[in-house]
Amino acid sequence: SQQGEEDPQALSIQEGENATMNCSYKTSINNLQWYRQNSGRGLVHLILIRSNEREKHSGRLRVTLDTSKKSSSLLITASRAADTASYFCATLRNTGGFKTIFGAGTRLFVKA
Amino acid sequence: EPEVTQTPSHQVTQMGQEVILRCVPISNHLYFYWYRQILGQKVEFLVSFYNNEISEKSEIFDDQFSVERPDGSNFTLKIRSTKLEDSAMYFCASSEDRGNTGELFFGEGSRLTVL
């Protein structure tokens, strides 16, 4: 089943603005992670939030998790041109195995 | 800083040929993964590997695919008889644990082009 669907698919903002990306998932999870991917490169881990946490901060990043709605959001504050990338949420299901599933991603473009 | 390395960075092959993609995970990591990403599309899980055996695999990971850890450092993905639709970026990742408390560390990927 699909896991980790992000919206919007693409987002274009001006430098200095905040960017909010959302992620929804279907099954019960152990944790949810956000990754960043620059064009043609590997994925880089940004932040992990556990299923018993509601909010987490790291620098300019703020992640929320609502397990009742099976959704998460990633907020990047005071965006910079260098934040231009694709952002993916990823979920680890709590079925005992280890299979982190990625969503389709949001392409963020920050205009200087 | 330790990193996951993948070779080759780009491989072009003819349909029907065998391909081996190589990965050197981070040395103290115990869990290994292969993902693939068709151009512009989502990152798809292929397989996870622990303690010298496959832990989970997706429906994409059919009999054409195999993984191996031939020595203490390399982790390989073999595609036995490539098809056009196997053209994609293949990413190797490793983690210290099952992902409960930490992240997956990804390599830069191997781009496979099947002609």
Side-chain angles (χ1 to χ4, degrees):
Chain A
S1 61
Q2 288 286 75
Q3 196 70 332
E5 297 294 329
E6 287 93 331
D7 76 86
Q9 290 186 339
L11 181 60
S12 181
I13 58 174
Q14 289 291 140
E15 207 166 30
E17 293 179 340
N18 295 341
T20 299
M21 290 160 270
N22 303 298
C23 167
S24 61
Y25 56 92
K26 289 188 167 64
T27 64
S28 179
I29 61 169
N30 186 296
N31 67 47
L32 187 143
Q33 303 179 42
W34 285 90
Y35 287 79
R36 167 193 167 126
Q37 183 184 36
N38 287 353
S39 182
R41 306 292 300 275
L43 288 89
V44 175
H45 181 264
L46 295 175
I47 195 166
L48 178 151
I49 186 165
R50 292 186 179 77
S51 59
N52 61 352
E53 296 176 312
R54 292 297 164 257
E55 188 170 312
K56 204 158 182 182
H57 297 252
S58 176
R60 292 184 296 114
L61 306 179
R62 174 178 163 246
V63 168
T64 62
L65 180 65
D66 186 336
T67 51
S68 66
K69 294 181 179 175
K70 292 187 166 57
S71 68
S72 173
S73 67
L74 171 67
L75 168 68
I76 303 175
T77 59
S79 62
R80 304 165 184 166
D83 294 328
T84 295
S86 290
Y87 292 83
F88 296 87
C89 72
T91 52
L92 176 69
R93 298 176 305 171
N94 61 352
T95 57
F98 51 109
K99 179 177 174 179
T100 298
I101 302 297
F102 287 80
T106 293
R107 288 191 185 183
L108 174 66
F109 181 64
V110 182
K111 292 177 276 189
Chain B
E1 187 172 321
E3 58 181 18
V4 175
T5 57
Q6 290 186 242
T7 54
S9 55
H10 189 193
Q11 179 149 2
V12 181
T13 190
Q14 294 290 325
M15 194 167 56
Q17 295 296 305
E18 176 183 284
V19 159
I20 297 176
L21 305 178
R22 291 183 167 81
C23 170
V24 179
I26 294 173
S27 61
N28 63 331
H29 285 185
L30 301 175
Y31 299 83
F32 314 112
Y33 315 79
W34 283 100
Y35 286 83
R36 81 172 184 191
Q37 185 179 33
I38 295 170
L39 185 64
Q41 298 187 25
K42 67 193 301 181
V43 178
E44 298 174 295
F45 172 82
L46 292 178
V47 66
S48 58
F49 190 88
Y50 169 71
N51 200 26
N52 280 321
E53 58 183 29
I54 290 173
S55 178
E56 291 205 51
K57 59 183 181 178
S58 70
E59 57 276 9
I60 302 168
F61 195 89
D62 60 22
D63 292 344
Q64 294 277 71
F65 291 88
S66 62
V67 288
E68 197 177 32
R69 190 156 159 81
D71 52 44
S73 58
N74 289 287
F75 178 51
T76 61
L77 174 70
K78 182 191 290 187
I79 309 175
R80 196 172 45 194
S81 177
T82 50
K83 309 187 203 70
L84 294 176
E85 55 264 36
D86 293 330
S87 294
M89 280 288 280
Y90 288 82
F91 292 102
C92 173
S94 67
S95 65
E96 216 172 336
D97 62 14
R98 288 173 166 239
N100 290 351
T101 57
E103 70 250 41
L104 304 185
F105 290 79
F106 281 82
E108 290 295 327
S110 293
R111 180 176 297 284
L112 176 64
T113 302
V114 182
L115 303 176

